[in-house]
Amino acid sequence: MSEAKTALRDQLLTARNRRSLLEIGEAARAISGHLLAHGPVRRAATVAAYVSVGGEPGTGALLDGLRAAGKRVILPVLRPDHDLDWAVHDGDLRPAGRGLLEPAGPRLGVDAVAGADVVLVPGLAVAADGVRLGRGGGSYDRALARVPAGTPVLVLLYDDELLPGVPHEPHDLPVTAAVTPSAGLTPFAPSR
C-alpha cells in the first residue's frame, strides 16, 4: 500500500471521527432521500448495500426505505479471506467481527453481487474520475470485479470527500457515481 494512500486515509478517518452525531444523522437522511428518488434505485428489484459503521454516512434509514419500497436488499458478510459473501437483509442483523453487523440469513455466495441492479458501496473518498478510496482491505475491489459492466455502482460519502484525485493502484475499480448530502448524485464518465 502506498504511503500517499495511507496518509490520505488517516486524514479522512480523522475528519470523520470529528463529525457530530447530528451531522452524521443529517447526512444519512439526505443521502437516503437522494437514493430513494434516483431512477435506477426506484426501478431496481435487487440492491446490494451495506451497513454503515462508525463515522460513515449512516445507512439505517436507507436500508429501511429500500425494504419498505419492496426491494430485495443484499448485504455483505465478510469472509475469513476478506472477500465478501452476501445475504438477504430481512431486518435482522447480528454482530460480526471488526464491529460490523451482518444479516443472519443464509449465505448467497460471493457472486450474488453480480445479480444486483444497483450496488451501493462505502468509501472514504472518490476522485473526479470515479476512483474510490476505500479502507484498504480490498474486499470491495474483489466484489466490484464481479459486477457486470453497466450496473450502477454508487459510493456514499460526505460532501468534502469528493476530491480532484486520490492515490490508486491498478486493482482499484472505479464507481459510476458518488452520492453526498448536498450535491446528491455526482456521476462519473463510464469506465466499467
Side-chain angles (χ1 to χ4, degrees):
M1 174 173 29
S2 77
E3 288 181 23
K5 270 187 169 182
T6 301
L8 183 55
R9 278 190 186 106
D10 288 347
Q11 175 187 344
L12 292 163
L13 286 168
T14 297
R16 279 193 174 178
N17 290 335
R18 291 184 177 145
R19 294 185 192 278
S20 69
L21 290 177
L22 178 64
E23 183 181 1
I24 292 169
E26 288 173 347
R29 285 186 290 283
I31 287 171
S32 177
H34 294 312
L35 281 168
L36 293 173
H38 183 51
V41 173
R42 283 196 333 264
R43 291 187 296 274
T46 299
V47 177
Y50 64 96
V51 179
S52 58
V53 295
E56 290 179 337
T59 58
L62 173 62
L63 295 175
D64 291 345
L66 290 168
R67 291 184 64 241
K71 309 300 177 195
R72 177 177 179 253
V73 178
I74 61 173
L75 298 175
V77 177
L78 186 64
R79 294 168 25 134
D81 65 358
H82 301 287
D83 205 342
L84 297 178
D85 201 333
W86 298 85
V88 174
H89 177 39
D90 63 3
D92 184 21
L93 296 172
R94 66 178 181 208
R98 299 181 167 201
L100 301 173
L101 293 173
E102 63 185 31
R107 304 303 179 246
L108 303 172
V110 296
D111 292 325
V113 69
D117 301 302
V118 175
V119 178
L120 308 178
V121 298
L124 293 173
V126 70
D129 60 0
V131 173
R132 178 187 73 92
L133 179 68
R135 289 188 179 252
S139 299
Y140 276 93
D141 288 317
R142 281 184 257 176
L144 292 179
R146 298 179 183 106
V147 175
T151 301
V153 177
L154 313 172
V155 61
L156 284 53
L157 299 169
Y158 295 101
D159 296 310
D160 58 356
E161 295 170 341
L162 292 173
L163 305 176
V166 298
H168 62 279
E169 298 170 47
H171 66 268
D172 292 328
L173 296 173
V175 297
T176 58
V179 186
T180 62
S182 298
L185 226 68
T186 301
F188 305 112
S191 57
R192 295 187 54 81

